[in-house]
Every structure is written in structure tokens, then in C-alpha cells.
Amino acid sequence: MSGNKIILEVKKLSKVYDKEVLNIEHLSFHKGKIYGIIGPSGAGKSTFLRLVNLLESPTKGYIYFKGEKIFLNDHTAALARRDMTMVFQKPLLFHTSVAENIAYGLKARRFPKEKIKARVEALLEKVGLKEFAGRHAATLSGGEAQRVALARAVAFEPALLLLDEPTANLDPTNVQLIEQLILELNKDTEMTIIIVTHNIFQARRVAREVVFLHEGHIVEAGETKKIFTSPEDPRTKAFVEGRMVY
Ligand SMILES: Nc1ncnc2c1ncn2[C@@H]1O[C@H](COP(=O)(O)OP(=O)(O)OP(=O)(O)O)[C@@H](O)[C@H]1O
Ligand SMILES: [Mg+2]
């Protein structure tokens, strides 16, 4: 049982570009759960992940990771980066072999050689790319590349994994493989996972809790089943029924 430990919490979080695109009064994420963030295009989903992952600073408000306030420009960023990681819609791989890609984070963290070898092998097996260890990353298909990106991201078993539309460009087979991986990782390691997705069916399949964002605000958040079967807000209802244009 993962208990009720809060791993991530945001308070009065706001991001202003030309106008305010995100404004979240309060939101917390518990250890070991999978969360889905859904909402129409432009709702602020990616902005939220970028702030949490310290790719950008909030205009106002605070982010707490494992109980500590974290900021982009001080030592807390290094602490956060040690234990959280993000995978993007378009897989970003290094120009080297598949195995080197997966080993990257482990090397950076100075894992012993033998351990790196074993971990890379286990991950290759897990993502169904055992024969691909020596292949150059540039030669992979989109789905294979995304599986490698995921394997690389989780190699050091981060406490928090952020996924921004990780399957948006993929075929159904790769979508299924990646969803399976997400569920297994969560089950085996109690990794907390936040997945941003346009795809309400995907949120329904993998997330235990769902946050529905609209125009930068949380319209509704709660257990996936409740959000999909008895939403309280008419906008949530419209979105989960596919009636809201996005
Ligand atoms: N660097 C930026 N400068 C100005 N506006 C930005 C910037 N980044 C994002 N925005 C705006 O902020 C709003 C939220 O964008 P965001 O990318 O978070 O939406 P999203 O929910 O991820 O949408 P999508 O589902 O299309 O990926 C949008 O209106 C977007 O145009
Ligand atoms: Mg986005």
C-alpha cells in the first residue's frame, strides 16, 4: 500500500505569458499513484508539467517535491532532477546506441558498471527491444524510439515520472505497449506517474485519478471512475463524452 504520502504539491501556482495560462490554487499528488491530466488544447497541461519539471519558473506560487519547495535557479533544482524525469511527445534520444541511451542516467549517477549492464538488459527486455541494444537511436521507428525514451527515463527509478502525450503519434500496438509499461512500472516500483493526454480513453485505462484542466484552471479532479461516470461540472461531462471541441 502506498499510503497517503504526498510526493508533489503545488500551491497558488500561476504562469503568465501574454496572459495567464495556468492558475492552480492547490493540487497534490500521492506516492505510488498514476494521475491523468486531461483537457482541451491550450488548457495549460504541458505548461503545468514544464513548471513541475523546472524547465520554466512559475510567475507566482510554489512547487513542493518530496516536501521541499523547489526552484529552477537554486540547489533545490538538482535535488529535484535527481528524482524526477519527463518524457515528451516526441522522443528525444542521444545520437548513440540504444543501450548507451538507456545507460545514460545511470552513468551520470555513477552506478557500478555491472549494475548498469544488468539494468540496461532488463529494461531492453521490458520494452521488447532486446535485439536493439547496439542499434543507433536514429534508425528507430517512432514507437521504438519512444519505448527507448521511456526506458532511459525510468532506468534510475525516479520517484516521479512526467509524461506529456507520450503516445500521441503512435500506432495502436505501440500505444498498448507503452500503457502496459506505465502500469507495470507503477506496480513494480511504486513510481508516481503523471500522464498528460488528450486521449480520454487512455486516461481512463491507466490513471487512478484524473485532473481536468480547462483554460488554466482545474474544473474537476478526483477518482477516474467518478470523473468519467458521474462528473459534477457540465464542462467535465462534455469533455469526457467527447462533446467539447478540442
Ligand atoms: N512560451 C510561450 N509563450 C507564450 N504563450 C505560451 C507559451 N507556452 C505556452 N503558451 C500558451 O499557453 C497556453 C497553454 O499552453 P499548453 O502548451 O500548456 O497547453 P496544452 O494544454 O498542453 O495544449 P495541447 O493539448 O495542445 O498540448 C496556450 O494558449 C499556449 O499558446
Ligand atoms: Mg501540451
Side-chain angles (χ1 to χ4, degrees):
M1 192 59 212
S2 39
N4 271 327
K5 208 170 144 203
I6 291 177
I7 185 144
L8 175 73
E9 192 169 16
V10 304
K11 292 183 183 167
K12 299 195 184 302
L13 191 68
S14 157
K15 183 68 185 177
V16 177
Y17 293 116
D18 306 329
K19 60 183 178 84
E20 188 172 60
V21 300
L22 192 71
N23 186 328
I24 296 180
E25 183 60 28
H26 180 241
L27 191 57
S28 55
F29 298 85
H30 291 86
K31 181 173 161 50
K33 281 194 193 177
I34 302 180
Y35 293 85
I37 299 188
I38 59 172
S41 185
K45 304 179 300 294
S46 296
T47 302
F48 175 74
L49 288 193
R50 285 199 306 273
L51 295 180
V52 169
N53 196 37
L54 302 181
L55 291 170
E56 283 182 71
S57 293
T59 307
K60 280 189 210 149
Y62 297 103
I63 297 162
Y64 299 79
F65 179 55
K66 300 204 294 187
E68 271 221 57
K69 252 186 209 171
I70 55 168
F71 299 93
L72 174 57
N73 293 316
D74 70 14
H75 70 283
T76 58
L79 293 176
R81 294 218 165 91
R82 210 164 291 162
D83 221 3
M84 108 165 63
T85 188
M86 182 147 154
V87 173
F88 301 87
Q89 178 173 339
K90 254 185 96 193
L92 297 169
L93 295 176
F94 302 119
H95 282 272
T96 175
S97 72
V98 166
E100 284 293 325
N101 264 280
I102 299 176
Y104 180 85
L106 300 170
K107 280 188 177 165
R109 286 169 183 79
R110 298 185 201 292
F111 275 55
K113 248 189 168 158
E114 281 312 303
K115 200 161 184 181
I116 294 178
K117 195 165 170 272
R119 185 70 65 83
V120 169
E121 272 170 23
L123 280 163
L124 280 169
E125 171 99 56
K126 211 173 178 52
V127 299
L129 295 172
K130 233 173 128 186
E131 283 78 45
F132 288 62
R135 272 275 288 276
H136 194 279
T139 67
L140 301 174
S141 75
E144 290 158 358
Q146 192 60 300
R147 275 142 67 199
V148 173
L150 194 59
R152 187 184 62 193
V154 302
F156 68 97
E157 297 193 356
L160 178 61
L161 174 65
L162 307 170
L163 304 170
D164 194 355
E165 307 268 9
T167 65
N169 294 327
L170 306 183
D171 65 289
T173 306
N174 274 295
V175 172
Q176 205 195 346
L177 276 168
I178 285 180
E179 288 182 5
Q180 191 65 37
L181 274 169
I182 292 169
L183 289 167
E184 273 176 29
L185 277 169
N186 170 258
K187 193 158 162 252
D188 298 346
T189 66
E190 289 216 321
M191 195 178 288
T192 308
I193 300 173
I194 303 178
I195 174 167
V196 160
T197 178
H198 270 93
N199 184 333
I200 48 176
F201 303 104
Q202 178 163 66
R204 201 169 183 166
R205 286 192 296 267
V206 303
R208 196 153 127 201
E209 298 212 6
V210 165
V211 177
F212 174 49
L213 269 187
H214 183 42
E215 294 176 351
H217 293 267
I218 297 175
V219 173
E220 201 164 338
E223 284 206 10
T224 305
K225 197 169 166 211
K226 164 136 197 330
I227 297 287
F228 281 93
T229 57
S230 49
E232 279 167 21
D233 192 284
R235 289 168 295 177
T236 317
K237 193 164 172 359
F239 191 75
V240 301
E241 288 174 357
R243 286 185 288 111
M244 190 187 276
V245 182
Y246 60 96

